[in-house]
Amino acid sequence: MNGTLVIAARELRANTRIFIISAVLAVWPFLASLLPTARGHRAEVIVVLGGFLSVAVGLGLAVALGISTIGRELSERRLSFYFSKPVSPAAIWFGKAGAAIVTSVLSFALIALPTYFTSPQTWRLHWLGDAQPVVVAALVIAALFFLSHFLSSILRSRSAYLAFDVIALLLLLAGLYAVVRPLALGGAGDTAKIILVSMGAIVAGALVVGPVWQLANGRTDAKRGHAALSRAVWSILGGALLLAGGYVAWLISGYASDLKDVHFVEQPGHGTAFLVSGTGAGRGEYVSTFLIDQRKGDSRRLSVPKWWGGNFSEDGTVYWWLQPLGLFNFTGLELYTIPVAGGSSVASGITMTPNGSATLSSDGSRVVVVDGALASVFDLATGKLLASGGGLDFRANHVVIFLGPDLVRIVEAPRDARDITVVRVYELDVRRRTMSKTGEGQYPGSRGTSLSLSGDGSRILVRGISTIADGRTAGLVARLNGEVPASSAVLYDGTVATITPNRPRLQLYSRDGLPLHDIPLPDAERAFLSGEIEEGKLIVAGSRGLPGKGGMHWSLLIIDVRRGVVERVVPDVLAPLPRWQYGRLAHYTADQKLVVVDLHETLYTLDPRTGALQKVKLTG
Amino acid sequence: MSDLALTAEDVTVRYGKRMAVDGVSLSVPIGSVYALLGRNGAGKSSLIRVLLGLLRPDQGQATLLGEDVWRNRARLMERTGVVAEEADAPPEMRLRDLGWMSSRLYARWQQGAFDERLTRFDIDSAARFGELSKGQKKQVALALALAATPELILLDDPTLGLDVVARKSLFEEVIADMADRGLTVFIATHDLGAIESIADRVGILKNGRLVLDEELETLKNRFRRIRFAGPADTLAEANLTVTWSRPWGSGTEAVATNYDDLALDRLRQRARTAEVVPMSLEEIFMAVVGEERS
């Protein structure tokens, strides 16, 4: 018989009284069920009382034995008895720990199992469902035992090493936070869970094997034992955290050229930059986001995808996005910016609640934050509040446009519209620091309150009810007839474009609602408006087929709005996403090349004038 | 194979800023009895904890039976018996269970020897360890240690608190094993009278330092209490080194540490009368640790 078993056997023999007491307690639920008040609920009384008693005894013993195993012998100076025997520290620890856990689990089982077998169905109803009670109890008991032992060992020693433990714990938590946060923000929740579960298992492992070091290096000295235990536990956890940190650092440090699944591409109305988000080869579900220059192909990594909002400024000089302030305390968002021409990202210090939204001025120097009932204009470079005004409906959809550097128009349409959709327009004068309502319109219908604005803010399209309103007064301009469109928008010059949901057709209306063109969209079962190009070109993304069998096939269509014809169809590429953040489509310059994705998730530039595709060469 | 059962090389133990053992080096040949003496707090128990592999020295190294005890403690305990200062078996354990446990752990365990010693000590094997008197606990600890047939036994103040009869029987057991099997004994004790008859070598710890480490016979030959008619300077003139000297009537009384017959001749040439008295181990200890002063 080896040392571990000899010591375990000795400990179990010493715990005989505990088993006797547990056996006596096991009778109590059955005695209680004989009481007159238990009549009619006999099974419930047995199961509930047995459950409470077994849990209390099992967990109580786990904690008590965790505290006293080794610790009590150290304080009573009796541990040298074992060290004067030919047994290893591992045998002493595992013999004692094993016996303590077996004692706790057996005591639990002695009380719980008779009540379980009396009525398994009632037990499952009240306790643990279909889980095996003894297995669950054994896991919880073991965890409690090892944790109690660790805490008891570091507290009993009254050593200054306790300060080290506290610092190490704080560092571990901070490290875990640092490791998990980018994963959670990057949509790699499953990877974060795996890392947390693995760390939990490693914590458990460290608490199980750490005491071997405690005994091997501290032996009968409580302070030295504490130091050895702490060093072992924190070294294991520190090493594991470093590994996890290294893995996460690798995971989030992928290159744009590694992207194998592009989630979206976004492009400003000026310049050669574009943003791409997606998952990289071998990097799980972590979503990487890159700001790329389509000419050079060099990329800069952004820390967070635009889950919470983000976009380019109209002139394409600044990209901004919102990022949560915390991970577990997810109560606010902070606005980050990065200059497109080069440089690092900057936390602006401008914060808002998760319901808030942000809109940049066309040159990217100012931002309007609409949060709750308040609209505020900030200078982005300094974070200084320039003006603010209240009175907005916090339940409404808001679309904001800078009419000039010092004048902001805010259009709102409450989300809880029933029979009537209300549209209100406000203007915030930054110089005068005043906000005034400039108009309100009420329209029958309530099929969604998503808004679209023309480039100069003079026209509003209430998309769900196909109503064109004046941009300043919200007064009715026109109501469009026909079925509710699948996609609709006011174009930059006020022209209204809608796409019918079935057998998609593009219908174009003048800024006053007069029908202009009705254009069938070839080779498309579904379509949505993607963007527009100056000089009257509209980009439509078409699709046919469905994901899965046969696959989904995208196409990009360029429409000449003035002539009302499909000018070009580019097959097998997905057009850039529309920029609903600003309530309007992206408006590209005539000489801009569009960034598109093909079926193989490869990025191309498309010259809309010639239809020529050129693969984007990514250098990073 | 080394003929040393136990060694300490420059062993140093500190508890915070306090130096408990200060650079102690000693060695014990196989089959000998080494008595470690010292006042309370001199560092005896700390040194024994190091020798048993219970405490890692801040400096130096200890070996048992030729092996580093810190590294190979578990293996060495198979060959080493221990009687701790405070008998430390679990109090709820019955003596027969202690025997059962030891029988599973020691390859050379002799259950008969254990039972016989309990019988000799008049202790019931059904008794729980915690129920025994202090003396009985020590006897049980010794019975456990010897029944494992050790090559070396370390005893930390084994007779502390024992009556004369218990003390005598305890030493008799050790002496019997020494005689039968050539057992090596390392004993830290205050019982100087008892150890004087069995120790081969004596070490004296004072404030953590080993101030004396010598064969007992040599030690007793060179230590003498001397009384003579004359001034204390006479001792130096006779080339005698003393631990202390004091006036004794019109003469001087002193303890000489390098006494021999020639030195006595030199002294008698200078002093009219000189009385030389052999010293017991207890008297030598008192002189060395400075309790007997001028």
Side-chain angles (χ1 to χ4, degrees):
Chain A
M1 194 183 279
N2 71 25
T4 307
L5 293 178
V6 172
I7 290 171
R10 188 219 89 69
E11 296 287 317
L12 285 173
R13 200 177 285 195
N15 292 338
T16 309
R17 282 181 195 170
I18 294 175
F19 297 129
I20 294 169
I21 291 168
S22 299
V24 171
L25 286 175
V27 181
W28 282 21
F30 296 94
L31 291 177
S33 71
L34 298 176
L35 293 171
T37 49
R39 193 168 296 152
H41 308 285
R42 201 165 168 264
E44 273 86 359
V45 168
I46 291 172
V47 164
V48 172
L49 192 56
F52 274 117
L53 269 175
S54 56
V55 168
V57 168
L59 302 192
L61 275 173
V63 172
L65 293 173
I67 290 170
S68 62
T69 299
I70 305 293
R72 188 174 157 202
E73 281 147 331
L74 270 174
S75 62
E76 292 179 2
R77 294 174 161 273
R78 283 194 286 107
L79 201 57
S80 55
F81 170 74
Y82 294 96
F83 278 106
S84 64
K85 303 281 178 279
V87 286
S88 66
I92 297 172
W93 168 242
F94 288 118
K96 284 179 163 288
I101 291 169
V102 167
T103 300
S104 305
V105 175
L106 269 181
S107 300
F108 168 86
L110 272 173
I111 302 170
L113 287 184
T115 64
Y116 175 81
F117 287 120
T118 301
S119 176
Q121 280 184 330
T122 313
W123 179 280
R124 279 196 283 271
L125 194 66
H126 289 274
W127 304 97
L128 299 171
D130 289 330
Q132 291 296 317
V134 176
V135 175
V136 175
L139 290 173
V140 176
I141 281 169
L144 270 179
F145 170 82
F146 291 117
L147 186 64
S148 304
H149 169 77
F150 177 74
L151 293 176
S152 142
S153 295
I154 65 172
L155 291 174
R156 265 177 200 266
S157 80
R158 296 178 184 176
S159 156
Y161 230 81
L162 188 60
F164 168 79
D165 292 315
V166 173
I167 292 167
L169 177 65
L170 294 176
L171 285 176
L172 179 76
L173 293 176
L176 264 182
Y177 180 83
V179 164
V180 169
R181 188 167 197 270
L183 295 178
L185 296 181
D190 288 344
T191 308
K193 269 185 215 164
I194 290 169
I195 286 180
L196 285 175
V197 169
S198 304
M199 281 303 290
I202 292 167
V203 167
L207 295 181
V208 171
V209 302
V212 175
W213 274 266
Q214 177 190 13
L215 293 180
N217 293 295
R219 302 202 180 168
T220 57
D221 186 313
K223 281 187 169 56
R224 291 183 192 210
H226 173 183
L229 176 64
S230 292
R231 279 200 300 269
V233 168
W234 298 122
S235 300
I236 292 170
L237 298 184
L241 187 64
L242 277 179
L243 280 177
Y247 173 68
V248 170
W250 172 80
L251 197 68
I252 66 174
S253 64
Y255 296 106
S257 51
D258 295 336
L259 289 179
K260 68 169 176 53
D261 189 7
V262 174
H263 291 187
F264 59 80
V265 176
E266 200 163 30
Q267 201 176 350
H270 292 81
T272 57
F274 69 95
L275 188 98
V276 60
S277 258
T279 50
R283 285 180 163 83
E285 84 272 42
Y286 178 76
V287 177
S288 302
T289 303
F290 301 94
L291 187 60
I292 299 172
D293 186 313
Q294 58 176 270
R295 283 179 310 185
K296 300 175 193 166
D298 58 349
S299 60
R300 279 179 289 161
R301 192 181 301 110
L302 303 190
S303 54
V304 175
K306 51 172 278 179
W307 309 120
W308 294 272
N311 221 315
F312 288 94
S313 62
E314 295 259 338
D315 66 357
T317 57
V318 176
Y319 185 79
W320 65 272
W321 73 95
L322 298 175
Q323 187 166 313
L325 290 168
L327 180 63
F328 305 110
N329 179 21
F330 178 45
T331 54
L333 301 168
E334 184 172 10
L335 187 118
Y336 282 69
T337 60
I338 185 166
V340 169
S344 319
S345 62
V346 178
S348 68
I350 298 166
T351 60
M352 64 200 80
T353 69
N355 294 321
S357 65
T359 306
L360 253 63
S361 62
S362 57
D363 64 354
S365 64
R366 291 182 176 182
V367 62
V368 181
V369 172
V370 175
D371 196 4
L374 201 66
S376 309
V377 180
F378 295 90
D379 179 68
L380 257 180
T382 60
K384 186 180 168 189
L385 177 66
L386 301 175
S388 67
L392 300 175
D393 185 338
F394 65 89
R395 295 160 300 180
N397 281 328
H398 295 95
V399 171
V400 179
I401 185 169
F402 273 89
L403 298 176
D406 295 322
L407 188 61
V408 174
R409 179 171 290 168
I410 302 156
V411 183
E412 73 172 19
R415 290 193 199 105
D416 57 354
R418 291 190 177 175
D419 300 324
I420 300 291
T421 296
V422 180
V423 179
R424 299 187 194 97
V425 181
Y426 297 85
E427 285 184 359
L428 176 57
D429 188 319
V430 176
R431 281 196 182 164
R432 292 181 187 167
R433 299 188 175 188
T434 57
M435 190 158 92
S436 54
K437 188 164 111 180
T438 59
E440 177 176 317
Q442 298 194 359
Y443 304 105
S446 60
R447 293 175 58 92
T449 53
S450 171
L451 300 166
S452 173
L453 285 183
S454 63
D456 61 358
S458 62
R459 282 289 180 271
I460 304 165
L461 174 67
V462 187
R463 298 166 67 201
I465 54 174
S466 298
T467 298
I468 304 172
D470 180 77
R472 187 157 203 276
T473 64
L476 177 67
V477 173
R479 297 206 65 169
L480 308 179
N481 294 322
E483 52 192 334
V484 177
S487 177
S488 60
V490 189
L491 304 187
Y492 197 77
D493 64 357
T495 305
V496 174
T498 65
I499 291 177
T500 56
N502 300 313
R503 292 182 186 168
R505 302 172 71 83
L506 173 67
Q507 294 173 331
L508 296 167
Y509 300 86
S510 73
R511 55 185 288 118
D512 298 321
L514 299 173
L516 297 175
H517 302 288
D518 188 345
I519 311 160
L521 298 175
D523 200 29
E525 294 169 358
R526 292 165 297 280
F528 65 83
L529 297 165
S530 165
E532 54 181 314
I533 306 169
E534 62 183 11
E535 299 172 358
K537 302 287 167 57
L538 186 59
I539 308 164
V540 172
S543 71
R544 60 185 165 77
L546 289 169
K549 277 187 181 174
M552 192 168 178
H553 296 277
W554 292 98
S555 58
L556 184 149
L557 295 86
I558 296 175
I559 317 291
D560 186 322
V561 174
R562 287 171 195 160
R563 291 190 293 136
V565 294
V566 177
E567 190 176 272
R568 193 178 308 286
V569 177
V570 184
D572 296 329
V573 295
L574 173 62
L577 290 180
R579 301 169 63 206
W580 292 123
Q581 193 80 32
Y582 290 138
R584 52 194 183 277
L585 300 175
H587 186 246
Y588 304 106
T589 55
D591 60 346
Q592 240 181 313
K593 288 184 178 174
L594 304 176
V595 179
V596 296
V597 189
D598 76 353
L599 298 173
H600 306 291
E601 311 284 339
T602 307
L603 293 167
Y604 288 88
T605 57
L606 167 70
D607 187 336
R609 289 174 296 198
T610 63
L613 286 166
Q614 189 174 2
K615 194 172 175 182
V616 177
K617 287 179 182 169
L618 297 168
T619 58
Chain B
M1 188 177 153
S2 169
D3 58 355
L4 295 176
L6 178 157
T7 67
E9 290 169 28
D10 195 25
V11 169
T12 300
V13 176
R14 293 186 199 92
Y15 297 115
K17 289 179 181 174
R18 190 171 75 82
M19 185 78 82
V21 180
D22 186 1
V24 168
S25 296
L26 57 85
S27 58
V28 180
I30 288 172
S32 66
V33 178
Y34 189 102
L36 183 68
L37 313 179
R39 296 193 60 196
N40 292 334
K44 298 190 299 296
S45 291
S46 293
L47 181 58
I48 286 194
R49 281 157 56 78
V50 171
L51 293 171
L52 286 173
L54 297 177
L55 181 65
R56 186 174 210 165
D58 295 296
Q59 189 180 309
Q61 185 195 30
T63 67
L64 292 186
L65 305 164
E67 293 187 61
D68 184 323
V69 70
W70 178 259
R71 291 171 187 272
N72 306 306
R73 179 202 54 80
R75 192 166 66 234
L76 287 168
M77 287 305 109
E78 175 71 40
R79 301 160 66 194
T80 307
V82 180
V83 177
E85 183 178 8
E86 293 285 336
D88 53 7
E92 75 283 357
M93 272 187 94
R94 296 186 190 280
L95 304 188
R96 59 172 174 245
D97 294 336
L98 275 170
W100 171 86
M101 184 179 169
S102 298
S103 72
R104 297 295 185 276
L105 294 176
Y106 291 97
R108 295 183 294 181
W109 176 258
Q110 292 182 327
Q111 186 64 37
F114 177 65
D115 294 338
E116 280 171 23
R117 283 198 177 88
L118 288 188
T119 306
R120 278 207 292 280
F121 293 143
D122 196 22
I123 299 174
D124 183 1
S125 65
R128 293 183 193 279
F129 189 77
E131 296 166 350
L132 302 179
S133 71
K134 198 169 184 177
Q136 287 175 314
K137 284 178 180 170
K138 286 279 174 74
Q139 288 171 320
V140 170
L142 183 70
L144 284 169
L146 292 176
T149 330
E151 295 162 44
L152 166 68
I153 186 166
L154 284 90
L155 304 102
D156 188 2
D157 224 346
T159 55
L160 184 70
L162 301 193
D163 62 37
V164 179
V165 176
R167 236 187 278 179
K168 186 169 178 291
S169 72
L170 191 139
F171 277 114
E172 279 172 359
E173 292 296 332
V174 176
I175 291 165
D177 254 56
M178 285 166 57
D180 292 347
R181 299 190 293 108
L183 179 70
T184 306
V185 180
F186 185 92
I187 179 168
T189 184
H190 295 289
D191 192 351
L192 304 187
I195 203 67
E196 189 169 358
S197 59
I198 59 169
D200 297 311
R201 194 173 180 90
V202 172
I204 296 179
L205 273 177
K206 183 180 175 185
N207 297 328
R209 302 192 66 189
L210 192 66
V211 294
L212 187 147
D213 178 20
E214 198 167 351
E215 296 287 337
L216 179 59
E217 198 177 329
T218 314
L219 184 70
K220 291 183 76 171
N221 283 339
R222 69 182 178 86
F223 269 75
R224 285 290 187 277
R225 185 182 300 276
I226 301 171
R227 296 177 187 127
F228 61 94
D233 295 348
T234 313
L235 293 163
E237 290 165 8
N239 284 338
L240 280 167
T241 306
V242 296
T243 58
W244 58 265
S245 65
R246 65 183 176 194
W248 182 67
S250 59
T252 301
E253 180 183 27
V255 170
T257 62
N258 60 341
Y259 173 83
D260 58 24
D261 292 344
L262 291 172
L264 181 62
D265 290 342
R266 290 195 298 274
L267 181 63
R268 280 187 172 150
Q269 287 168 8
R270 291 163 176 79
R272 277 183 286 119
T273 57
E275 181 190 0
V276 178
V277 183
M279 295 174 70
S280 68
L281 181 58
E282 187 172 331
E283 288 173 312
I284 294 170
F285 174 74
M286 297 285 275
V288 170
V289 299
E291 286 306 301
E292 197 174 8
R293 295 172 192 282
S294 58

